[in-house]
Amino acid sequence: MSDTPFGFGLPPEEPEDGDEGKKKESPGQGQGGGQSAGGPGNPFGFGFPGAGGPGGGDNPFAAMFGSMNPNDLGAAFQQLGQMLSYEGGPVNWDMAKDIARQTVSQGTPDGTKDASVGPAERSAVEEAVRLADLWLDDATSLPSGSGTAVAWSRAEWVEATLPVWKELVDPVAERVGLAMGDVLPEEMQAMAGPLIGMMRSMGGAMFGQQIGQAVGVLAGEVVGSTDIGLPLGPSGKAALLPVNIETFGKDLGVDKDEVRLYLALREAAHQRLFSHVPWLRSHLFGAVEGYARGIKVDTAKLEDVVGQLDPQNPEQLQEALQQGMFQPEDSPAQKAALARLETALALVEGWVDAVVHAAAKPRLSSADALRETLRRRRASGGPAEQTFATLIGLELRPRRLRDASRLWASLTDARGVDGRDGLWEHPDMLPTASDLDDPDGFVHREQLDFSELDKMLGEAAGGTSSAKPDLTKDERDDQSPEDGGK
């Protein structure tokens, strides 16, 4: 994750081989304008901390006006006008998408660039997902959830996942936008309508800048559509990113076909879970929203920033939004919401870990090594944790992944695959945080069998009476008028 997700400077445009080989041209881009500090690649001339040249210095406006040619200056003011005239929701998602795609086009720190997926890579992904689904048939009772298998470039991952990012981020961004207006005294708010509107427009643009860069960085790290434990892509579509899989497996000393197949197993297992447990998606997103509701905006800091806001230095507000703007409430309700979210994430990731290991262990010599690599990568948080911590003050880290994986494995031994997977029938049947503390107690606890009760209720709803056993003649005769003979 970049240290400056709010930076106004835009990275260069998209590569020639990325996103189907398409390339855009920024307004004013021409000879000598593409890479200059004040050029379209950085239209505001602010630069990033530590950047060389006139655009990275301590006097950004001097750099902007001193280095721009008239075309570049026009492009800068055009984009500033677009930012201030934005009248949409709490996040400028058009800007977010543009920034994300441009961040992708920059490539990753190791120099890997995005590229269109070729026929050979597409075929390899489809075959890996097909084989993964066959192996998973022996490891879980949940049927395949991968209606299609797709190979995405990083740019395609951005396009496919932005709708879900919108669902996750908009509620928190909305509170920030409202807080930006509320920091003015009530008697002034009626007279400051245009100023409040401008502040909210700037807030939407700044969130768009932040989210766009965060999602763009994340696109350079993920290997599929379910890396963070949430279904970011379309339902029933197992997706892998060949360019990132290549980078992921480069230093592992494992055959690349095995790496691809193992990652396909994880993606296909997630798809089975989210496709055939209909309440799971809303359960997870509800847990995220429940936690986010308890996050407060630091209005004291926002008041201080707004009071000292220099129109010639909009980076002040950016830096404030970036540094500690969100404060989770230290309340029992908020702690319970966090526990529910962490437990839900751990149960999903633990189940996938246990099921994939059961499917891969007998067939892949590298199964143990790949499992440990993925566990460490997931537990350390990485880009997903940083993304959410920056966006909404939330870390999507399955802190109890190993505990959950052991519990699911023990359930398999004690109750079999069907008994283990049957717990996904209803959220109330799942293990709790305290069950992760005592997995043996949960595994061997006598479980209620709801199947007969469900059958009886279903038959009763259908107007049949076979759900209740008939009384014998003796039993009917034994009933008194008061309790049974009416």
Side-chain angles (χ1 to χ4, degrees), residues 238-378:
L240 296 176
L241 282 72
V243 64
N244 290 353
I245 291 175
E246 182 81 18
T247 302
F248 171 81
K250 184 168 56 176
D251 299 323
L252 296 181
V254 178
D255 181 79
K256 65 179 182 180
D257 291 336
E258 287 202 12
V259 173
R260 185 193 304 110
L261 184 51
Y262 193 87
L263 296 176
L265 282 166
R266 289 184 54 82
E267 178 74 9
H270 277 104
Q271 293 296 334
R272 289 187 181 222
L273 199 55
F274 289 119
S275 295
H276 298 291
V277 182
W279 53 264
L280 181 57
R281 187 183 190 278
S282 60
H283 180 74
L284 282 169
F285 280 66
V288 172
E289 185 178 354
Y291 178 78
R293 276 197 301 267
I295 296 176
K296 300 182 298 183
V297 179
D298 189 347
T299 53
K301 177 178 289 188
L302 192 56
E303 285 180 17
D304 182 62
V305 172
V306 172
Q308 303 177 31
L309 186 61
D310 180 359
Q312 292 186 334
N313 189 9
E315 284 191 334
Q316 282 182 335
L317 187 55
Q318 290 181 308
E319 292 170 2
L321 289 174
Q322 180 186 3
Q323 298 172 1
M325 182 59 65
F326 303 113
Q327 295 182 333
E329 289 182 347
D330 187 19
S331 65
Q334 180 69 349
K335 291 177 180 178
L338 180 60
R340 285 194 300 272
L341 176 58
E342 290 183 339
T343 300
L345 288 171
L347 290 174
V348 168
E349 292 298 281
W351 183 88
V352 168
D353 179 77
V355 167
V356 168
H357 185 68
K361 177 68 172 175
R363 300 175 173 98
L364 295 179
S365 60
S366 58
D368 288 332
L370 289 170
R371 181 190 203 188
E372 187 60 28
T373 299
L374 267 297
R375 277 181 166 186
R376 291 179 180 179
R377 185 177 191 259
R378 190 69 182 92

Side-chain angles (χ1 to χ4, degrees), residues 196-262:
I196 294 174
M198 184 185 73
M199 291 171 62
R200 289 179 178 170
S201 294
M202 290 181 65
M206 291 173 186
F207 256 104
Q209 286 268 356
Q210 181 188 22
I211 293 164
Q213 188 161 355
V215 171
V217 171
L218 190 58
E221 301 279 348
V222 295
V223 295
S225 70
T226 54
D227 279 30
I228 68 170
L230 297 174
L232 294 178
S235 177
K237 185 172 288 188
L240 296 176
L241 282 72
V243 64
N244 290 353
I245 291 175
E246 182 81 18
T247 302
F248 171 81
K250 184 168 56 176
D251 299 323
L252 296 181
V254 178
D255 181 79
K256 65 179 182 180
D257 291 336
E258 287 202 12
V259 173
R260 185 193 304 110
L261 184 51
Y262 193 87

Side-chain angles (χ1 to χ4, degrees), residues 53-132:
D58 298 326
N59 191 349
F61 272 77
M64 180 176 72
F65 289 109
S67 62
M68 279 188 177
N69 62 44
N71 288 336
D72 296 339
L73 185 60
F77 279 108
Q78 181 182 7
Q79 184 159 352
L80 180 61
Q82 291 173 351
M83 181 179 74
L84 295 179
S85 63
Y86 173 72
E87 296 180 351
V91 177
N92 188 330
W93 285 103
D94 290 336
M95 179 177 286
K97 182 170 74 171
D98 289 343
I99 298 293
R101 289 171 64 91
Q102 292 166 5
T103 302
V104 163
S105 75
Q106 247 187 334
T108 51
D110 64 0
T112 304
K113 297 287 187 178
D114 193 20
S116 300
V117 179
E121 291 173 318
R122 200 175 305 278
S123 177
V125 165
E126 292 171 353
E127 177 60 22
V129 172
R130 185 193 66 79
L131 185 56

Side-chain angles (χ1 to χ4, degrees), residues 369-400:
L370 289 170
R371 181 190 203 188
E372 187 60 28
T373 299
L374 267 297
R375 277 181 166 186
R376 291 179 180 179
R377 185 177 191 259
R378 190 69 182 92
S380 64
E385 174 190 343
Q386 294 170 6
T387 297
F388 272 82
T390 303
L391 296 183
I392 57 176
L394 176 62
E395 296 179 356
L396 284 178
R397 181 191 298 183
R399 301 175 186 277
R400 310 199 64 182

